[in-house]
Coordinates of all heavy atoms in Angstrom, one line a residue:
V1 N -136.6 66.2 120.6 CA -136.5 65.1 119.7 C -135.7 65.5 118.4 O -134.9 64.7 117.9 CB -137.9 64.5 119.3 CG1 -137.8 63.4 118.3 CG2 -138.5 63.9 120.6
Q2 N -136.0 66.7 117.9 CA -135.3 67.1 116.7 C -133.8 67.2 116.9 O -133.1 66.8 116.0 CB -135.9 68.5 116.2 CG -135.3 69.0 114.9 CD -135.7 68.0 113.8 OE1 -136.8 67.6 113.7 NE2 -134.8 67.8 112.8
D3 N -133.4 67.6 118.0 CA -131.9 67.7 118.3 C -131.3 66.3 118.3 O -130.2 66.1 117.7 CB -131.6 68.3 119.7 CG -131.8 69.8 119.6 OD1 -131.8 70.4 118.5 OD2 -132.0 70.4 120.7
Q4 N -132.0 65.3 118.9 CA -131.6 63.9 118.9 C -131.5 63.4 117.4 O -130.6 62.6 117.1 CB -132.4 63.1 119.8 CG -131.9 61.7 119.9 CD -130.5 61.6 120.5 OE1 -130.0 62.5 121.2 NE2 -129.9 60.5 120.3
Q5 N -132.5 63.7 116.6 CA -132.5 63.2 115.2 C -131.4 63.8 114.5 O -130.7 63.2 113.7 CB -133.8 63.6 114.6 CG -135.0 62.7 115.1 CD -136.3 63.0 114.4 OE1 -136.5 64.1 114.0 NE2 -137.2 62.0 114.4
N6 N -131.1 65.1 114.7 CA -129.9 65.8 114.0 C -128.6 65.1 114.4 O -127.8 64.8 113.6 CB -129.9 67.2 114.3 CG -131.0 68.0 113.6 OD1 -131.6 67.5 112.7 ND2 -131.4 69.2 114.2
K7 N -128.5 64.8 115.7 CA -127.3 64.2 116.2 C -127.2 62.8 115.7 O -126.1 62.3 115.3 CB -127.4 64.1 117.8 CG -126.1 63.5 118.4 CD -126.2 63.5 119.9 CE -125.0 62.9 120.5 NZ -125.1 62.8 122.0
S8 N -128.3 62.0 115.6 CA -128.2 60.7 115.0 C -127.9 60.7 113.6 O -127.2 59.8 113.1 CB -129.6 59.9 115.3 OG -130.6 60.5 114.5
N9 N -128.4 61.7 112.8 CA -128.0 61.8 111.4 C -126.5 62.0 111.2 O -125.9 61.5 110.3 CB -128.8 63.0 110.7 CG -130.2 62.6 110.5 OD1 -130.6 61.5 110.5 ND2 -131.1 63.6 110.4
Q10 N -125.9 62.8 112.1 CA -124.5 63.1 112.1 C -123.7 61.8 112.4 O -122.8 61.4 111.7 CB -124.1 64.2 113.1 CG -122.6 64.4 113.1 CD -122.0 64.9 111.8 OE1 -122.7 65.6 111.0 NE2 -120.8 64.5 111.5
I11 N -124.2 61.0 113.4 CA -123.6 59.8 113.8 C -123.7 58.8 112.6 O -122.7 58.1 112.2 CB -124.3 59.2 115.0 CG1 -123.9 60.0 116.2 CG2 -123.8 57.7 115.2 CD1 -124.8 59.7 117.5
L12 N -124.8 58.7 111.9 CA -125.0 57.8 110.8 C -124.1 58.2 109.6 O -123.5 57.4 108.9 CB -126.4 57.8 110.3 CG -127.4 57.1 111.2 CD1 -128.8 57.3 110.8 CD2 -127.0 55.6 111.3
R13 N -123.9 59.5 109.3 CA -123.0 60.0 108.3 C -121.6 59.5 108.6 O -120.9 59.0 107.7 CB -123.1 61.5 108.1 CG -124.2 62.0 107.3 CD -124.1 63.5 106.9 NE -124.2 64.3 108.1 CZ -125.3 64.7 108.6 NH1 -126.5 64.4 108.1 NH2 -125.3 65.5 109.7
E14 N -121.2 59.7 109.8 CA -119.8 59.3 110.2 C -119.7 57.8 110.1 O -118.6 57.3 109.6 CB -119.5 59.8 111.6 CG -119.3 61.3 111.6 CD -119.2 61.8 113.1 OE1 -119.1 61.0 114.0 OE2 -119.2 63.1 113.2
F15 N -120.7 57.1 110.5 CA -120.7 55.6 110.5 C -120.5 55.1 109.1 O -119.7 54.2 108.8 CB -122.0 55.1 111.1 CG -122.2 53.6 111.1 CD1 -121.5 52.8 111.9 CD2 -123.1 53.1 110.2 CE1 -121.7 51.4 111.9 CE2 -123.3 51.7 110.1 CZ -122.6 50.9 111.0
Y16 N -121.3 55.6 108.1 CA -121.3 55.1 106.8 C -120.1 55.7 106.0 O -119.6 55.1 105.0 CB -122.6 55.4 106.0 CG -123.7 54.5 106.5 CD1 -124.8 55.0 107.1 CD2 -123.6 53.1 106.2 CE1 -125.8 54.1 107.5 CE2 -124.6 52.3 106.6 CZ -125.7 52.8 107.3 OH -126.7 51.9 107.7
D17 N -119.5 56.8 106.4 CA -118.4 57.4 105.7 C -117.1 56.8 106.1 O -116.1 56.9 105.4 CB -118.3 58.9 105.9 CG -119.4 59.7 105.2 OD1 -120.0 59.1 104.2 OD2 -119.6 60.9 105.5
E18 N -117.0 56.1 107.2 CA -115.8 55.4 107.7 C -115.4 54.3 106.7 O -116.1 53.4 106.4 CB -116.0 54.9 109.1 CG -114.7 54.2 109.6 CD -114.9 53.6 111.0 OE1 -115.9 53.9 111.6 OE2 -114.1 52.8 111.4
P19 N -114.2 54.4 106.1 CA -113.7 53.3 105.2 C -113.4 52.0 106.0 O -113.1 52.1 107.2 CB -112.5 53.9 104.6 CG -112.0 54.9 105.5 CD -113.2 55.5 106.3
F20 N -113.5 50.9 105.3 CA -113.2 49.7 105.9 C -111.6 49.5 105.8 O -111.0 49.8 104.8 CB -113.8 48.5 105.1 CG -115.3 48.4 105.4 CD1 -116.2 48.8 104.5 CD2 -115.7 47.7 106.6 CE1 -117.6 48.7 104.8 CE2 -117.0 47.6 106.9 CZ -118.0 48.1 106.0
D21 N -111.1 48.9 106.9 CA -109.7 48.5 106.9 C -109.7 47.0 107.2 O -109.7 46.5 108.3 CB -108.9 49.2 108.0 CG -107.5 48.8 108.1 OD1 -107.0 48.0 107.3 OD2 -106.7 49.4 108.9
I22 N -109.9 46.2 106.1 CA -110.2 44.8 106.2 C -109.0 44.1 106.9 O -109.2 43.1 107.6 CB -110.4 44.2 104.8 CG1 -111.7 44.8 104.3 CG2 -110.6 42.7 104.9 CD1 -112.1 44.5 102.9
G23 N -107.8 44.6 106.8 CA -106.7 44.0 107.4 C -106.7 44.1 108.9 O -106.0 43.3 109.7
A24 N -107.4 45.1 109.4 CA -107.4 45.4 110.9 C -108.7 45.2 111.6 O -108.8 44.9 112.8 CB -107.0 46.8 111.1
K25 N -109.8 45.3 110.8 CA -111.2 45.2 111.4 C -112.0 44.3 110.6 O -111.8 44.1 109.4 CB -111.8 46.6 111.5 CG -111.1 47.5 112.4 CD -111.8 48.9 112.5 CE -111.1 49.9 113.3 NZ -111.8 51.2 113.3
P26 N -113.1 43.8 111.2 CA -114.1 42.9 110.4 C -114.7 43.7 109.3 O -114.8 45.0 109.4 CB -115.1 42.5 111.4 CG -114.5 42.7 112.8 CD -113.5 43.8 112.6
P27 N -115.1 43.1 108.2 CA -115.7 43.8 107.1 C -117.2 44.1 107.2 O -118.0 44.1 106.3 CB -115.4 42.8 105.9 CG -115.5 41.5 106.6 CD -114.9 41.7 107.9
H28 N -117.6 44.3 108.5 CA -119.0 44.7 108.7 C -119.0 45.5 110.0 O -118.1 45.4 110.9 CB -119.9 43.4 108.9 CG -119.4 42.5 110.0 ND1 -119.8 42.7 111.3 CD2 -118.6 41.5 110.0 CE1 -119.2 41.8 112.1 NE2 -118.5 41.0 111.3
R29 N -120.0 46.4 110.1 CA -120.3 47.2 111.3 C -121.8 47.3 111.6 O -122.6 47.2 110.6 CB -119.8 48.6 111.1 CG -118.3 48.8 110.8 CD -117.9 50.2 110.9 NE -118.4 51.0 109.7 CZ -117.7 51.2 108.6 NH1 -116.5 50.6 108.4 NH2 -118.2 51.9 107.6
Q30 N -122.1 47.5 112.8 CA -123.5 47.7 113.2 C -123.5 48.7 114.3 O -122.6 48.8 115.1 CB -124.2 46.4 113.5 CG -123.5 45.6 114.5 CD -122.4 44.7 113.9 OE1 -122.4 44.3 112.8 NE2 -121.4 44.5 114.7
I31 N -124.6 49.4 114.4 CA -124.8 50.4 115.5 C -126.3 50.6 115.7 O -127.1 50.4 114.8 CB -124.2 51.8 115.1 CG1 -124.2 52.8 116.2 CG2 -124.8 52.4 113.9 CD1 -123.5 54.1 116.0
I32 N -126.7 50.8 117.0 CA -128.0 51.1 117.4 C -128.0 52.5 118.0 O -127.2 52.7 118.9 CB -128.6 50.1 118.3 CG1 -128.7 48.7 117.7 CG2 -130.0 50.5 118.8 CD1 -129.1 47.6 118.6
I33 N -128.8 53.4 117.5 CA -128.9 54.7 118.0 C -130.2 54.9 118.7 O -131.3 54.7 118.1 CB -128.7 55.8 116.9 CG1 -127.4 55.5 116.2 CG2 -128.8 57.2 117.4 CD1 -127.2 56.4 114.9
K34 N -130.2 55.4 119.9 CA -131.4 55.6 120.7 C -131.9 57.1 120.4 O -131.2 58.0 120.7 CB -131.2 55.4 122.2 CG -132.4 55.7 123.0 CD -132.1 55.5 124.5 CE -133.3 55.8 125.3 NZ -133.0 55.5 126.8
I35 N -133.1 57.2 119.8 CA -133.6 58.5 119.5 C -134.5 58.9 120.7 O -134.3 60.0 121.3 CB -134.5 58.5 118.2 CG1 -133.7 58.0 117.0 CG2 -135.1 59.9 118.0 CD1 -132.5 58.8 116.7
T36 N -135.4 58.1 121.1 CA -136.2 58.2 122.3 C -136.3 56.9 123.0 O -135.7 55.9 122.5 CB -137.7 58.7 122.0 OG1 -138.4 57.7 121.3 CG2 -137.7 60.0 121.2
N37 N -136.9 56.8 124.1 CA -137.1 55.5 124.8 C -137.8 54.5 124.0 O -137.6 53.3 124.2 CB -137.8 55.7 126.1 CG -136.9 56.4 127.2 OD1 -135.7 56.3 127.1 ND2 -137.6 56.9 128.2
D38 N -138.6 54.9 123.1 CA -139.4 54.0 122.2 C -139.0 53.9 120.8 O -139.6 53.3 120.0 CB -140.9 54.4 122.3 CG -141.5 54.2 123.7 OD1 -141.1 53.3 124.4 OD2 -142.4 55.0 124.0
Y39 N -137.9 54.7 120.4 CA -137.5 54.7 119.0 C -136.0 54.6 118.9 O -135.3 55.4 119.5 CB -138.0 56.1 118.4 CG -137.8 56.2 116.9 CD1 -138.5 55.5 116.0 CD2 -136.7 57.0 116.5 CE1 -138.3 55.7 114.7 CE2 -136.5 57.2 115.1 CZ -137.3 56.5 114.2 OH -137.0 56.6 112.9
H40 N -135.6 53.6 118.2 CA -134.2 53.4 118.0 C -133.9 53.2 116.5 O -134.8 52.7 115.7 CB -133.7 52.1 118.7 CG -133.9 52.2 120.2 ND1 -135.1 52.1 120.8 CD2 -133.0 52.4 121.2 CE1 -135.0 52.3 122.1 NE2 -133.7 52.4 122.4
V41 N -132.7 53.4 116.1 CA -132.3 53.2 114.7 C -131.2 52.1 114.7 O -130.2 52.2 115.4 CB -131.8 54.5 114.0 CG1 -131.2 54.2 112.7 CG2 -132.9 55.5 114.0
L42 N -131.4 51.1 113.8 CA -130.4 50.1 113.6 C -129.8 50.4 112.3 O -130.4 50.4 111.3 CB -131.0 48.7 113.6 CG -130.2 47.5 113.2 CD1 -129.0 47.3 114.1 CD2 -131.0 46.3 113.0
A43 N -128.4 50.5 112.3 CA -127.7 50.7 111.1 C -126.7 49.6 110.9 O -126.0 49.2 111.8 CB -127.0 52.1 111.1
L44 N -126.7 49.1 109.7 CA -125.8 48.0 109.3 C -125.0 48.4 108.1 O -125.5 49.0 107.2 CB -126.6 46.7 108.9 CG -127.7 46.3 110.0 CD1 -128.6 45.3 109.3 CD2 -127.0 45.7 111.2
C45 N -123.7 48.0 108.1 CA -122.8 48.3 107.0 C -121.9 47.1 106.8 O -121.2 46.6 107.7 CB -122.0 49.6 107.4 SG -121.0 50.2 106.0
W46 N -122.0 46.6 105.5 CA -121.2 45.5 105.1 C -120.3 45.8 103.9 O -120.7 46.5 103.0 CB -122.1 44.3 104.7 CG -123.0 43.8 105.7 CD1 -122.6 43.0 106.8 CD2 -124.4 43.9 105.8 NE1 -123.7 42.7 107.6 CE2 -124.9 43.2 106.9 CE3 -125.3 44.5 105.0 CZ2 -126.2 43.1 107.3 CZ3 -126.7 44.4 105.3 CH2 -127.1 43.7 106.5
H47 N -119.1 45.3 104.0 CA -118.2 45.5 102.8 C -118.7 44.5 101.7 O -119.2 43.4 102.0 CB -116.8 45.1 103.2 CG -115.8 45.5 102.1 ND1 -115.6 44.7 101.0 CD2 -114.9 46.5 102.1 CE1 -114.7 45.3 100.3 NE2 -114.2 46.4 100.9
H48 N -118.6 44.9 100.5 CA -119.1 44.1 99.4 C -118.5 42.7 99.2 O -119.1 41.9 98.6 CB -119.0 44.9 98.0 CG -117.6 45.1 97.6 ND1 -117.0 44.2 96.7 CD2 -116.8 46.1 97.9 CE1 -115.8 44.6 96.5 NE2 -115.6 45.8 97.2
I49 N -117.3 42.5 99.8 CA -116.7 41.2 99.7 C -117.4 40.1 100.5 O -117.2 38.9 100.3 CB -115.2 41.2 100.1 CG1 -115.0 41.5 101.6 CG2 -114.4 42.2 99.2 CD1 -113.6 41.3 102.0
I50 N -118.3 40.5 101.5 CA -118.9 39.5 102.3 C -120.4 39.4 102.1 O -121.1 38.5 102.7 CB -118.7 39.8 103.8 CG1 -119.4 41.1 104.3 CG2 -117.2 39.8 104.1 CD1 -119.5 41.2 105.8
I51 N -121.0 40.2 101.2 CA -122.5 40.1 101.1 C -122.8 40.6 99.7 O -122.2 41.4 99.1 CB -123.2 41.0 102.1 CG1 -124.6 40.5 102.3 CG2 -123.0 42.4 101.9 CD1 -125.3 40.9 103.6
D52 N -123.9 40.0 99.2 CA -124.5 40.5 97.9 C -125.9 40.9 98.0 O -126.5 40.8 99.1 CB -124.3 39.3 96.8 CG -125.1 38.1 97.2 OD1 -125.9 38.1 98.2 OD2 -125.0 37.1 96.5
A53 N -126.5 41.4 97.0 CA -127.8 42.0 97.0 C -128.9 40.9 97.5 O -129.8 41.3 98.3 CB -128.3 42.5 95.7
F54 N -128.8 39.7 97.0 CA -129.7 38.7 97.5 C -129.6 38.4 99.0 O -130.6 38.4 99.7 CB -129.5 37.4 96.7 CG -130.4 36.2 97.2 CD1 -131.7 36.1 96.7 CD2 -129.9 35.3 98.1 CE1 -132.5 35.1 97.2 CE2 -130.7 34.3 98.5 CZ -132.0 34.2 98.1
S55 N -128.4 38.3 99.5 CA -128.2 38.1 100.9 C -128.7 39.2 101.8 O -129.2 39.0 102.9 CB -126.7 37.8 101.2 OG -126.3 36.7 100.5
I56 N -128.5 40.5 101.3 CA -129.0 41.6 102.0 C -130.5 41.5 102.2 O -131.0 41.8 103.3 CB -128.6 42.9 101.3 CG1 -127.1 43.2 101.5 CG2 -129.4 44.1 101.9 CD1 -126.6 44.4 100.7
K57 N -131.2 41.2 101.1 CA -132.6 41.1 101.2 C -133.1 40.0 102.2 O -134.0 40.2 103.0 CB -133.2 40.7 99.8 CG -133.1 41.9 98.8 CD -133.6 41.4 97.5 CE -133.4 42.5 96.5 NZ -133.9 42.1 95.1
V58 N -132.4 38.9 102.2 CA -132.7 37.8 103.2 C -132.5 38.3 104.6 O -133.3 38.1 105.5 CB -131.9 36.5 102.9 CG1 -132.0 35.5 104.0 CG2 -132.2 36.0 101.5
I59 N -131.3 38.9 104.9 CA -131.0 39.3 106.2 C -132.0 40.4 106.7 O -132.5 40.3 107.8 CB -129.6 39.9 106.3 CG1 -128.6 38.7 106.1 CG2 -129.3 40.6 107.6 CD1 -127.2 39.2 105.9
L60 N -132.3 41.3 105.8 CA -133.3 42.4 106.2 C -134.7 41.8 106.4 O -135.4 42.3 107.3 CB -133.3 43.5 105.2 CG -132.0 44.3 105.1 CD1 -132.1 45.4 104.0 CD2 -131.6 44.9 106.4
Q61 N -135.1 40.8 105.6 CA -136.4 40.2 105.9 C -136.4 39.5 107.2 O -137.4 39.5 107.9 CB -136.7 39.2 104.7 CG -138.1 38.6 104.8 CD -139.2 39.7 104.7 OE1 -139.2 40.5 103.8 NE2 -140.0 39.8 105.7
D62 N -135.3 38.8 107.5 CA -135.2 38.1 108.8 C -135.3 39.1 110.0 O -136.0 38.8 111.0 CB -133.9 37.3 108.9 CG -133.9 36.1 108.1 OD1 -135.0 35.7 107.6 OD2 -132.8 35.5 107.9
I63 N -134.6 40.2 109.9 CA -134.7 41.2 110.9 C -136.1 41.8 111.0 O -136.6 41.9 112.1 CB -133.7 42.4 110.6 CG1 -132.2 41.8 110.8 CG2 -133.9 43.6 111.6 CD1 -131.2 42.8 110.3
E64 N -136.7 42.1 109.9 CA -138.1 42.6 109.9 C -139.1 41.5 110.5 O -139.9 41.9 111.4 CB -138.6 42.9 108.5 CG -140.0 43.5 108.5 CD -140.4 43.8 107.1 OE1 -139.6 43.7 106.1 OE2 -141.6 44.2 106.9
D65 N -138.9 40.3 110.2 CA -139.8 39.2 110.7 C -139.6 39.1 112.2 O -140.6 39.0 113.0 CB -139.5 37.9 110.1 CG -139.9 37.8 108.6 OD1 -140.7 38.7 108.2 OD2 -139.5 36.8 108.0
C66 N -138.4 39.2 112.6 CA -138.0 39.1 114.1 C -138.7 40.2 114.8 O -139.3 40.1 115.9 CB -136.5 39.1 114.2 SG -136.0 38.9 115.9
Y67 N -138.5 41.4 114.3 CA -139.1 42.6 114.9 C -140.6 42.6 115.0 O -141.2 42.9 116.0 CB -138.5 43.9 114.2 CG -139.0 45.2 114.8 CD1 -138.4 45.7 116.0 CD2 -140.1 45.8 114.3 CE1 -138.8 46.8 116.6 CE2 -140.5 47.0 114.9 CZ -139.9 47.5 116.0 OH -140.3 48.7 116.6
N68 N -141.2 42.3 113.8 CA -142.7 42.4 113.7 C -143.4 41.3 114.3 O -144.5 41.4 114.8 CB -143.1 42.6 112.3 CG -142.7 43.9 111.7 OD1 -142.6 44.9 112.4 ND2 -142.4 43.9 110.4
H69 N -142.8 40.1 114.4 CA -143.5 38.9 114.8 C -142.9 38.2 116.0 O -143.3 37.1 116.4 CB -143.6 37.9 113.6 CG -144.2 38.5 112.4 ND1 -145.5 38.8 112.3 CD2 -143.7 38.9 111.2 CE1 -145.8 39.3 111.1 NE2 -144.7 39.4 110.4
D70 N -142.0 38.9 116.6 CA -141.3 38.3 117.8 C -140.9 36.9 117.6 O -141.2 36.0 118.4 CB -142.3 38.5 119.0 CG -141.6 38.3 120.4 OD1 -140.4 38.5 120.4 OD2 -142.3 37.9 121.3
K71 N -140.2 36.7 116.5 CA -139.7 35.3 116.2 C -138.2 35.1 116.7 O -137.6 34.1 116.4 CB -139.7 35.1 114.7 CG -141.1 35.0 114.1 CD -141.0 34.7 112.7 CE -142.4 34.7 112.1 NZ -142.4 34.5 110.6
C72 N -137.8 36.0 117.5 CA -136.4 35.9 118.0 C -136.2 35.2 119.4 O -135.4 35.6 120.2 CB -135.7 37.3 118.0 SG -135.4 37.9 116.4
N73 N -137.0 34.3 119.7 CA -137.0 33.6 121.0 C -135.9 32.6 121.0 O -135.6 31.9 120.2 CB -138.3 33.0 121.4 CG -139.4 34.1 121.5 OD1 -139.1 35.2 121.9 ND2 -140.6 33.7 121.3

């Protein structure tokens, strides 16, 4: 598991370090990394031109509600 966590940390560093090319790609990225069969990491990255702090809180709350309360039917 430790090797997978180290690998996922490297993937996340590369994911977040990649600059946005707004002219060629969307101004947002997302990735899911499988650590074990029961543990996954969801990483989200948005360019500041499409989201603000208030919106981030709303989106993250919606994701948490969906995950914890199975509201995504």
Side-chain angles (χ1 to χ4, degrees):
V1 171
Q2 186 63 39
D3 286 340
Q4 185 61 19
Q5 287 178 335
N6 290 338
K7 183 178 177 182
S8 67
N9 287 339
Q10 178 62 33
I11 291 169
L12 288 171
R13 276 191 295 277
E14 293 171 7
F15 175 76
Y16 285 116
D17 286 345
E18 181 182 344
F20 284 102
D21 182 358
I22 296 174
K25 296 180 181 179
H28 59 84
R29 297 190 289 269
Q30 50 281 327
I31 186 173
I32 298 175
I33 302 171
K34 180 179 178 181
I35 306 298
T36 68
N37 286 338
D38 297 326
Y39 184 75
H40 298 75
V41 174
L42 170 64
L44 306 167
C45 188
W46 298 289
H47 192 281
H48 67 91
I49 66 167
I50 66 165
I51 199 159
D52 61 9
F54 176 80
S55 300
I56 289 173
K57 289 177 186 178
V58 171
I59 290 170
L60 294 178
Q61 186 63 56
D62 286 349
I63 291 170
E64 181 180 355
D65 289 346
C66 182
Y67 180 80
N68 289 331
H69 304 290
D70 196 24
K71 292 182 180 177
C72 288
N73 296 333

